Amino acid sequence: MSTSMRVMELVRFGDADTSFAARERPRPEPGPGQILVRVIATSVNPLDLQTRRGDYRDQVALPAVIGNDVSGVVVGTGPGADDFRPGDEVWYLAPVFAGQGTYAEFHVVDQALVARKPAGLSHIEAAGLALVGVTAWEALVERAGVRAGERVLVHGGAGGVAVQVAGALGAEVVTTARAGDHAFVSGLGADHAIDFSAGDYVPRVRALGGVDVVLDTVGGNTLARSPEVLADRGRVVSVVDTPEPQNLLAAWGVNATYHFLFVSPGRAKLDALGRLVDRGELRPVIGTVLPLDEVPRAHALGEGGSTGPGRGRPRGKIAVSVHPQDEPPHRATSAP
């Protein structure tokens, strides 16, 4: 095996087309309790876009390899790393702002954060599910404690995964999405879809009787008004940065609980998601697949850049195929 690897390196903060450079770097070696993974696929998340723009420049020393999703194959193990063997297919969420990221041909990670890839997912699909899936699970299960029969509002449900996880938990799912995405989110399992661009969402959610849980992926005024739709003892979980003041008086009036979530990796969450996949209750929606050298284009698409014949951000995850020869060509998927 070569001692070098190809990476897409963040060399400056700024626009997608000027921030990255393809480089050769030494292939990492696994230390105690670590495994070395040949990255078959990774993906682009909003966190990556924010990092590239410089939102977290205090956390990222340039030049840097960013990215957090991995699906791949174990090719080496360090001392004491006995959970996996070379040839095992694995997937995981890499620690955020810690060590090398995943826009690279190889990645080293602590074995405790890694799970075996569900057989029903391709590497492209698994890479598109890791961060968003772990985030949805931690938000809805570990923080909000969603129970069967409760009503859950997912702000910005067109991403798809949170809607599916909430439905798998037995919740009645309400989501805000553009009118053009209503059939899409309904196909994912949403029971009610509200067009957020058609006016105030609050009275339309109240007309349903309010909700027990709000999962916010939007922030701003959308989050600030969330307590206005909560039932008594409702819970709000937000996964975005939110410097705006919150309406805590309204939250107090319904005995609300707030959680602000910065996702943490872990095998148990991946295994739980894998069980949903195995039962046919969860599948990521992949909208676009690009090679590693086209990470700049992937970032531009993630921000609504041109897609060629049309314009606008593609529906579903933007995946990055790092070793395409190791997996058959992947076609964009639709709702399960």
Side-chain angles (χ1 to χ4, degrees), residues 139-216:
L140 294 171
V141 176
E142 297 182 2
R143 300 297 186 91
V146 172
R147 299 180 292 272
E150 291 192 308
R151 185 178 291 133
V152 175
L153 169 61
V154 178
H155 283 309
V161 170
V163 167
Q164 293 180 73
V165 172
L169 296 172
E172 179 184 348
V173 183
V174 184
T175 190
T176 55
R178 296 186 185 278
D181 287 329
H182 283 191
F184 172 68
V185 295
S186 295
L188 295 171
D191 299 289
H192 311 277
I194 294 173
D195 184 2
F196 63 81
S197 65
D200 190 355
Y201 75 89
V202 170
R204 287 173 285 169
V205 176
R206 281 179 171 171
L208 299 172
V211 299
D212 301 289
V213 174
V214 173
L215 173 56
D216 168 60

Side-chain angles (χ1 to χ4, degrees), residues 32-321:
Q34 295 182 325
I35 61 174
L36 174 65
V37 177
R38 179 179 172 90
V39 179
I40 308 302
T42 183
S43 72
V44 174
N45 292 287
L47 175 62
D48 303 332
L49 307 182
Q50 294 170 321
T51 302
R52 188 212 75 234
R53 290 194 296 257
D55 294 3
Y56 301 106
R57 64 182 66 220
D58 291 342
Q59 305 289 332
V60 179
L62 299 181
V65 178
I66 65 172
N68 295 96
D69 290 318
V70 169
S71 185
V73 178
V74 178
V75 294
T77 59
D82 302 322
D83 293 353
F84 300 96
R85 296 178 180 179
D88 286 344
E89 294 188 321
V90 297
W91 69 314
Y92 57 93
L93 165 62
V96 179
F97 303 138
Q100 175 205 299
T102 64
Y103 295 175
E105 291 185 311
F106 294 91
H107 188 260
V108 160
V109 64
D110 289 344
Q111 67 171 4
L113 304 181
V114 179
R116 284 174 169 77
K117 181 180 73 66
L121 293 182
S122 68
H123 284 291
I124 292 290
E125 290 171 321
L129 180 58
L131 188 149
V132 293
V134 168
T135 300
W137 184 266
E138 187 169 346
L140 294 171
V141 176
E142 297 182 2
R143 300 297 186 91
V146 172
R147 299 180 292 272
E150 291 192 308
R151 185 178 291 133
V152 175
L153 169 61
V154 178
H155 283 309
V161 170
V163 167
Q164 293 180 73
V165 172
L169 296 172
E172 179 184 348
V173 183
V174 184
T175 190
T176 55
R178 296 186 185 278
D181 287 329
H182 283 191
F184 172 68
V185 295
S186 295
L188 295 171
D191 299 289
H192 311 277
I194 294 173
D195 184 2
F196 63 81
S197 65
D200 190 355
Y201 75 89
V202 170
R204 287 173 285 169
V205 176
R206 281 179 171 171
L208 299 172
V211 299
D212 301 289
V213 174
V214 173
L215 173 56
D216 168 60
T217 67
V218 177
N221 190 58
T222 299
L223 173 59
R225 300 203 63 193
S226 289
E228 299 178 42
V229 301
L230 283 179
D232 190 53
R233 300 187 184 278
R235 292 90 76 196
V236 175
V237 185
S238 180
V239 299
V240 298
D241 294 337
T242 175
E244 294 85 355
Q246 296 304 301
N247 188 355
L248 297 183
L249 185 62
W252 174 78
V254 291
N255 296 294
T257 301
Y258 271 64
H259 301 270
F260 295 95
L261 171 64
F262 191 84
V263 67
S264 57
R267 182 185 298 173
K269 298 170 212 179
L270 294 166
D271 285 341
L273 293 167
R275 289 190 289 272
L276 296 185
V277 170
D278 292 341
R279 296 201 299 263
E281 296 177 319
L282 175 63
R283 195 168 198 92
V285 178
I286 305 298
T288 301
V289 182
L290 294 171
L292 182 63
D293 288 341
E294 293 193 37
V295 159
R297 183 183 170 210
H299 273 239
L301 290 178
E303 294 176 315
S306 173
T307 63
R311 297 187 66 84
R313 191 191 189 287
R315 179 184 289 164
K317 284 302 295 288
I318 301 170
V320 176
S321 178

